[in-house]
Amino acid sequence: MDHYLALLQQLQDAYATDTGLCLLVTDESGRWVTRPSGRTEWMRPLEDRSEAGRLSPEAAVLTESLYGLHRPMEYEFRPGIKLMAAPIPGREPLRHYIWAAFFTDSRARLLLQSYYEGEESEGDLYRELRDSVPELNGERKRQLSAKLEAMAATTGRLLETETEERSGRRQLAALREIASGFDRSEIRLKDSLQPFFAAGQGLDFVGYAVKQDETHYKVAEVLGAGFSLIGSSFALGEGFLGQTAATRQPGRWGHVGRDPRILFFRQNNVAVKSLFSYPLIRDGDVAGVLFGGSRKLEEVPDELFEFGQTLCSFLNAQFALGKLRQENNDHFLRLSMLMEIGRTVTLVQDPKRVMFILIDMSLSLVEGPFAAALLTRAEGKAQMVSRGLAQQQVEAYIRELAERYEAYEPEDPFFGRAALAEFQGTPVLECPLVYRYELLGVLLVGLRQRSEHEQYRDFVQSLAIAGSGALHRIREDERPRGYEAPALLHRAIQRWDPQEYERTLTARDLAAEFTRSRGLGERDQRLAGEACMLAGYEPGMVRDVVEPDLIAVLEEVKRLASPDTESGPADSTAGEAGPIAALALEHVQPERMLREGAVARELREAFSAFLIRKETVDFEVVLGESAAARDEPGLRGDPLQAIRDLHALSSREQEVLSLVATGASNRDVAETLFISEHTVKNHMTNIFHKLGVNDRSQLIAMVYQLGFNHS
């Protein structure tokens, strides 16, 4: 400020010297902004006798006549003694004036000769003015007016620059204060309004309205004396504020005193001349409206509107930051809950207890109206546990789910995709509990709003995965049969008929590989492979220890190979698993010739083409062998068997070695043997140690050097 005042004083001094008058700049209240320049003694009649540095009440009254004018005006301050006042252009409400005193003209000077002779109080002063003030007539008076107008323009620019700089500093300080609130976990709009209100020059009020429902907003806070807007509501699209909420765009409006869109303010006895508003965006929705205005300014200044936009951007960024913080806290909470669930369900042995853990965790996080879990049982029975549902609702829900999931086929072996459904008008997040393509149940979580679906979907799916694994483990612990039984029965064959064991092992690998090549799922691959492994058993002998689906496939294999059975279509319940197993067994045991027409022609031709492709690959491998390796004594026959005999591999290690020798990856081995990749890695480590090799490539090289041909 001091810098700009010094420049203004220098400018005023220069014009005072040029015009020969006494010059002074004041604000609208009459307070002096500069020191008088030129004939300073002439300023005494204009100065307030009770307060130095201010115009006298008589002179201050003249400023009212200057309001709205843009050119200098001439006044006769005393008979024959005149002054000129020029309004300085600038933004309202700040108004300034230049005073030029005194001068006279040829006619007025004649009056001065006699008028002040009898004055006693100020006669000496006015006699001095009569003798010293310059006489300005016609052209000289016009020149004075032009000079004052030029000085006013320059002064206005200086004052505006100073005002902008001061306003910029205030706004910067306000933004720093607002930005300091970013560290707060709770967003308080009122804390941001106060620095904005203090920094907004010419601003009479500022406030914000929050969203009440889909179509209405309510004023929550207003700063500014005499503005009773708190608690008032407006509708979406109603007036200026409703227009901002509807369009999601900021706006400013001037000269709105008679505009019908200002009705909201009129109804609350608030008179405004200019107005601005901005949408407050939270989670992609207009959560509120920030607004403000002035009773004096006819237009909203650019810097004030832009400052408001900056504040609005800060607030929207703060909303986004607050959301990220909340999401981070939610993710941490959900992760902690999932870890706790994972630890707890490994210890639980009761399936009903597992279901209660799932629904209790769902309710504690989602805080919905209810949570339930449907548990499927054998023989088509189902059981539901719930919290928040009445018995009649549970019965109705079970019947509804039974119809909806009757033909459900999982897309993923261990993952049921959560979907948004509805039960009796309540949105529900439904997630199937799936393990190895088997539907174990359904987790059901009621939501307060349909929009919460995306927020909680991943968490509910993670809960379902943990619960599915626990339910499968409990079921497997409860029954001696299942996926391990075929492997145990197959191992028993090794004890009494090693050759049969090797042939069925080869048939199993062949059936699984062919099933994969036809794009069938893991379930069909497993059933076809296990049917090959148990082909030496009568289905009735193993009916009580293996799953019903495998029994159906075994019976289909027996039927296809039996010469006494009439030709007919394959059993639809066994799918292609039975015919594929029969073809694989026929290939490794030519004496098990299938009867004519037992297998569909298309399937047999596809299997033959598959074998030809395998033979082509094998032949390419054989061409790379050395003759010495093929003819070396002691290495003829089955090289894998030779390795097994020499290094005492376990039965499972032998199975792993057989697959690895055909080029199978750890994942392929795990899928074929129905074990984890971690277990495959352990077996590979043991094989490396026993065979004295360092890696997979050395192992395969050893096998092929011994004349291996995986046909």
Side-chain angles (χ1 to χ4, degrees):
M1 181 67 177
D2 293 341
H3 172 67
Y4 290 99
L5 280 179
L7 291 176
L8 180 56
Q9 189 67 53
Q10 293 176 15
L11 177 69
Q12 178 183 286
D13 292 344
Y15 272 93
T17 302
D18 182 47
T19 60
L21 303 179
C22 178
L23 300 184
L24 177 68
V25 175
T26 70
D27 61 19
E28 62 179 341
S29 67
R31 188 177 299 279
W32 295 4
V33 177
T34 58
R35 301 185 310 274
S37 302
R39 301 291 294 270
T40 58
E41 68 275 11
W42 292 357
M43 193 55 61
R44 278 186 297 164
L46 294 176
E47 187 174 8
D48 191 340
R49 295 180 180 180
S50 61
E51 184 179 354
R54 180 184 289 274
L55 291 178
S56 65
E58 181 184 5
V61 170
L62 299 178
T63 60
E64 297 178 3
S65 62
L66 291 171
Y67 184 75
L69 299 180
H70 303 287
R71 297 179 61 84
M73 290 291 294
E74 179 183 337
Y75 296 93
E76 190 164 15
F77 184 65
R78 289 287 187 272
I81 299 176
K82 300 183 178 182
L83 61 82
M84 192 172 287
I88 297 174
R91 294 196 186 127
E92 295 184 5
L94 301 177
R95 293 194 291 268
H96 295 83
Y97 306 95
I98 300 175
W99 302 88
F102 290 104
F103 61 90
T104 186
D105 54 31
S106 56
R107 291 182 181 179
R109 190 175 290 279
L110 294 175
L111 293 175
L112 291 175
Q113 298 292 334
S114 59
Y115 184 80
Y116 294 107
E117 290 296 336
E119 285 287 334
E120 296 294 335
S121 60
E122 295 182 343
D124 292 340
L125 172 62
Y126 289 110
R127 279 191 289 272
E128 180 184 347
L129 290 175
R130 179 190 65 186
D131 298 333
S132 59
V133 295
E135 185 176 305
L136 303 180
N137 296 301
E139 184 60 29
R140 290 188 65 190
K141 192 180 293 187
R142 285 191 292 272
Q143 290 177 359
L144 174 61
S145 177
K147 289 177 180 180
L148 290 182
E149 192 170 355
M151 178 184 170
T154 305
T155 302
R157 187 59 196 144
L158 268 175
L159 292 175
E160 185 174 351
T161 303
E162 186 272 334
T163 300
E164 290 176 352
E165 184 176 304
R166 187 170 64 250
S167 176
R169 288 194 297 267
R170 285 200 305 267
Q171 291 177 4
L172 183 59
L175 289 177
R176 287 198 188 101
E177 184 177 349
I178 294 169
S180 66
F182 271 45
D183 293 334
R184 302 172 190 153
S185 58
E186 181 182 359
I187 300 173
R188 298 176 58 189
L189 282 174
K190 186 176 180 180
D191 295 340
S192 300
L193 287 183
Q194 186 60 51
F196 175 48
F197 183 60
Q201 192 167 359
L203 193 60
D204 289 316
F205 69 94
V206 64
Y208 67 88
V210 295
K211 188 172 185 178
Q212 293 293 106
D213 52 42
E214 291 300 319
T215 59
H216 289 85
Y217 292 79
K218 185 176 183 179
V219 177
E221 189 66 48
V222 175
L223 299 181
F227 292 91
S228 55
L229 290 171
I230 296 178
S232 302
S233 299
F234 58 88
L236 185 70
E238 176 188 352
F240 292 117
L241 303 187
Q243 177 180 327
T244 296
T247 62
R248 305 165 65 99
Q249 296 295 321
R252 58 173 168 172
W253 303 271
H255 303 278
V256 298
R258 296 176 179 270
D259 196 307
R261 291 174 293 177
I262 212 73
L263 181 61
F264 169 75
F265 292 93
R266 276 209 206 102
Q267 289 174 339
N268 291 280
N269 299 316
V270 176
V272 295
K273 291 185 177 181
S274 58
L275 186 69
F276 60 84
S277 62
Y278 314 92
L280 298 175
I281 308 298
R282 178 183 292 177
D283 297 339
D285 188 27
V286 180
V289 176
L290 175 67
F291 62 90
S294 174
R295 289 180 291 196
K296 299 184 292 291
L297 300 179
E298 292 288 354
E299 296 284 352
V300 178
D302 291 342
E303 67 270 14
L304 179 60
F305 185 67
E306 292 169 0
F307 179 49
Q309 284 186 305
T310 303
L311 170 63
C312 191
S313 298
F314 265 71
L315 293 175
N316 289 335
Q318 197 171 10
F319 289 146
L321 181 60
K323 180 185 178 182
L324 290 176
R325 283 178 177 154
Q326 185 61 45
E327 288 179 349
N328 185 57
N329 293 337
D330 291 344
H331 287 323
F332 180 76
L333 175 62
R334 293 169 191 173
L335 180 60
S336 301
M337 293 175 67
L338 288 174
M339 292 176 63
E340 181 64 22
I341 291 172
R343 186 188 68 82
T344 303
V345 296
T346 59
L347 305 175
V348 176
Q349 296 298 324
D350 179 14
K352 184 184 293 186
R353 180 59 185 154
V354 171
M355 307 308 282
F356 272 118
I357 290 174
L358 296 181
I359 65 176
D360 287 343
M361 286 294 185
S362 301
L363 280 176
S364 64
L365 179 70
V366 179
E367 298 181 354
F370 71 86
L374 180 72
L375 186 65
T376 60
R377 293 290 192 182
E379 301 176 356
K381 295 182 179 180
Q383 178 185 12
M384 177 176 283
V385 295
S386 68
R387 296 199 190 278
L389 291 176
Q391 182 176 352
Q392 292 180 344
Q393 291 178 304
V394 170
E395 294 175 358
Y397 212 167
I398 291 177
R399 288 192 293 270
E400 179 182 322
L401 292 172
E403 294 178 3
R404 194 184 315 154
Y405 286 91
E406 181 178 5
Y408 176 77
E409 293 186 3
E411 300 176 1
D412 188 276
F414 301 102
F415 180 78
R417 190 171 301 279
L420 183 63
E422 187 174 294
F423 175 66
Q424 295 183 353
T426 301
V428 181
L429 198 56
E430 292 186 0
C431 189
L433 304 175
V434 176
Y435 197 91
R436 290 187 183 274
Y437 290 106
E438 181 183 2
L439 179 65
L440 306 179
V442 184
L443 179 60
L444 312 153
V445 182
L447 304 176
R448 291 166 296 184
Q449 299 177 1
R450 297 180 67 86
S451 58
E452 295 177 335
H453 164 243
E454 294 288 340
Q455 180 180 354
Y456 297 114
R457 180 188 59 194
D458 292 341
F459 174 74
V460 172
Q461 288 184 163
S462 300
L463 275 181
I465 292 173
S468 300
L471 291 174
H472 173 77
R473 173 185 55 78
I474 294 172
R475 289 190 179 186
E476 292 302 306
D477 291 344
E478 289 177 347
R479 61 186 183 186
R481 65 183 199 171
Y483 302 130
E484 293 299 324
L488 295 174
L489 293 169
H490 189 230
R491 237 175 250 174
I493 297 176
Q494 185 182 21
R495 305 287 295 227
W496 74 71
D497 192 346
Q499 291 185 350
E500 175 68 11
Y501 174 80
E502 292 298 333
R503 284 194 295 268
T504 55
L505 199 62
T506 302
R508 181 202 65 184
D509 297 342
L510 196 63
E513 187 175 352
F514 178 58
T515 306
R516 279 197 300 271
S517 71
R518 289 183 65 79
L520 300 178
E522 182 180 335
R523 175 179 173 277
D524 289 323
Q525 297 174 33
R526 176 177 59 81
L527 290 175
E530 291 177 350
C532 292
M533 294 162 57
L534 304 185
Y537 291 94
E538 288 294 330
M541 294 176 57
V542 296
R543 187 179 301 277
D544 294 334
V545 292
V546 299
E547 60 181 307
D549 288 348
L550 181 55
I551 293 297
V553 175
L554 285 172
E555 290 175 342
E556 176 68 3
V557 171
K558 291 290 184 183
R559 190 182 74 84
L560 295 175
S562 174
D564 300 329
T565 305
E566 295 183 1
S567 299
D571 183 3
S572 59
T573 61
E576 287 193 345
I580 290 175
L583 289 170
L585 289 167
E586 181 188 50
H587 179 72
V588 299
Q589 296 176 298
E591 65 273 12
R592 295 173 59 100
M593 288 291 294
L594 299 180
R595 53 186 172 76
E596 186 69 25
V599 176
R601 180 177 178 181
E602 182 275 330
L603 184 62
R604 180 175 286 279
E605 290 177 351
F607 186 71
S608 299
F610 167 74
L611 293 176
I612 292 173
R613 288 196 303 273
K614 285 182 61 63
E615 288 297 329
T616 302
V617 174
D618 289 342
F619 185 67
E620 291 173 354
V621 173
V622 172
L623 286 177
E625 297 175 341
S626 64
R630 289 195 303 270
D631 299 335
E632 185 177 346
L635 296 182
R636 295 192 182 96
D638 185 0
L640 290 177
Q641 188 60 48
I643 292 175
R644 297 183 189 115
D645 295 341
L646 287 173
H647 300 282
L649 300 181
S650 68
S651 58
R652 180 61 87 182
E653 290 167 355
Q654 294 173 26
E655 292 175 342
V656 172
L657 177 59
S658 299
L659 292 172
V660 171
T662 65
S665 65
N666 285 357
R667 176 176 293 184
D668 295 335
V669 174
E671 292 177 351
T672 302
L673 300 181
F674 306 107
I675 57 179
S676 68
E677 288 190 52
H678 179 72
T679 303
V680 174
K681 291 179 181 178
N682 290 339
H683 287 315
M684 290 298 295
T685 301
N686 294 336
I687 293 171
F688 290 163
H689 178 71
K690 292 180 179 181
L691 300 187
V693 297
N694 296 323
D695 53 35
R696 198 185 203 92
S697 60
Q698 291 184 7
L699 173 64
I700 295 176
M702 171 184 284
V703 173
Y704 278 98
Q705 285 172 3
L706 294 174
F708 173 63
N709 185 317
H710 61 75
S711 63

